[in-house]
């Protein structure tokens, strides 16, 4: 950290495209020598916070930029590139995909399957390092579906998993609630 810098925390916003903006802004923050000791975020911001706190390899901000590159994608049919916005609102191969049934109807509690996001996290976040006592503290806020109460997950209270990070982006009806220790959670802003 920059010798003249005070201890800093970082709060990251949600909203898919903002995650890419944050990656660029964070690159500059790291170039200036700042290293946040506490990180929190909503949705894509929570994912970015976890990558910064415990990159699986390399420098935190470089790993974050690599994840952004990995997450970008184009329409699978080049002739239909002008439909890319519509396509990415229905499926994002590194984060979510439609359930096999029509819009996830049936017994599924959300329109989308989030297993690609869980796989992306395993590719870029070292969860052992994330939960180490010397790691920057990551705080994720979620809402208990049954009680409506807000809960904070951090290494001070839990061993963080990909599911903890996903709670922040679990917004109904698109995404299913996330089960942690037998309880179901949606995003902290619910």
């Amino acid at each position: 950290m920059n010798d003249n810098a005070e201890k800093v925390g970082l709060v990251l916003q949600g909203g898919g495209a903002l995650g890419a903006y944050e990656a660029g802004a964070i690159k500059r923050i790291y170039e200036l020598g700042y290293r946040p000791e506490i990180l929190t975020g909503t949705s894509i911001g929570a994912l970015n916070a976890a990558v910064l706190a415990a990159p699986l390899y390399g420098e935190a901000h470089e790993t974050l930029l690599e994840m952004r590159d990995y997450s970008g994608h184009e329409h699978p049919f080049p002739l239909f590139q002008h439909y890319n916005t519509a396509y990415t609102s229905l499926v994002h191969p590194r984060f979510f995909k439609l359930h096999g049934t029509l819009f996830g109807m049936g017994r599924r509690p959300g329109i989308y399957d989030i297993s690609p996001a869980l796989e992306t996290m395993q590719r870029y976040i070292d969860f052992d390092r994330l939960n180490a006592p010397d790691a920057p503290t990551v705080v994720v806020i979620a809402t208990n579906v049954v009680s409506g109460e807000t809960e904070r997950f951090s290494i001070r209270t839990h061993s963080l998993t990909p599911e903890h990070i996903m709670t922040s982006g679990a917004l109904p009806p698109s995404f299913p609630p996330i089960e942690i220790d037998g309880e179901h959670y949606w995003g902290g802003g619910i």
Side-chain angles (χ1 to χ4, degrees):
M1 177 157 40
N2 183 335
D3 292 335
N4 297 322
E6 295 182 28
K7 294 180 180 183
V8 295
L10 187 59
V11 178
L12 300 169
Q13 188 171 336
L18 289 174
Y21 165 79
E22 289 172 351
I26 290 164
K27 178 179 185 258
R28 183 64 180 141
I29 290 168
Y30 273 68
E31 286 173 351
L32 292 171
Y34 294 99
R35 298 298 183 268
E37 294 184 28
I38 298 176
L39 301 114
T40 188
T42 300
S43 192
I44 195 70
L47 174 59
N48 286 349
V51 171
L52 289 173
L56 193 55
Y57 55 87
E59 289 290 320
H61 63 288
E62 292 169 356
T63 301
L64 184 61
L65 289 170
E66 183 173 318
M67 184 181 73
R68 291 288 118 223
D69 289 343
Y70 172 77
S71 300
H73 69 284
E74 294 181 1
H75 194 287
F77 306 107
L79 295 175
F80 299 100
Q81 284 298 324
H82 59 283
Y83 294 112
N84 203 43
T85 301
Y87 171 71
T88 57
S89 66
L90 292 176
V91 67
H92 195 298
R94 307 290 194 226
F95 290 107
F96 58 87
K97 60 186 176 183
L98 286 170
H99 283 292
T101 58
L102 180 62
F103 294 103
M105 301 309 257
R107 298 185 309 188
R108 293 187 175 98
I111 295 170
Y112 296 105
D113 171 359
I114 59 163
S115 60
L118 299 172
E119 293 166 10
T120 295
M121 280 188 254
Q122 295 290 351
R123 184 180 181 115
Y124 290 98
I125 301 168
D126 181 340
F127 282 90
D128 290 334
R129 185 173 170 190
L130 182 66
N131 291 294
D134 61 337
T137 300
V138 172
V139 180
V140 178
I141 301 190
T143 302
N144 185 296
V145 172
V146 174
S147 71
E149 297 294 317
T150 299
E151 185 163 343
R152 288 171 185 81
F153 297 112
S154 78
I155 62 169
R156 294 178 184 151
T157 58
H158 295 79
S159 179
L160 296 180
T161 65
E163 289 77 12
H164 287 98
I165 306 306
M166 285 302 300
T167 60
S168 183
L171 301 173
S174 296
F175 302 109
I178 306 297
E179 183 175 349
I180 297 174
D181 298 329
E183 299 284 335
H184 288 87
Y185 295 90
W186 272 322
I190 299 292

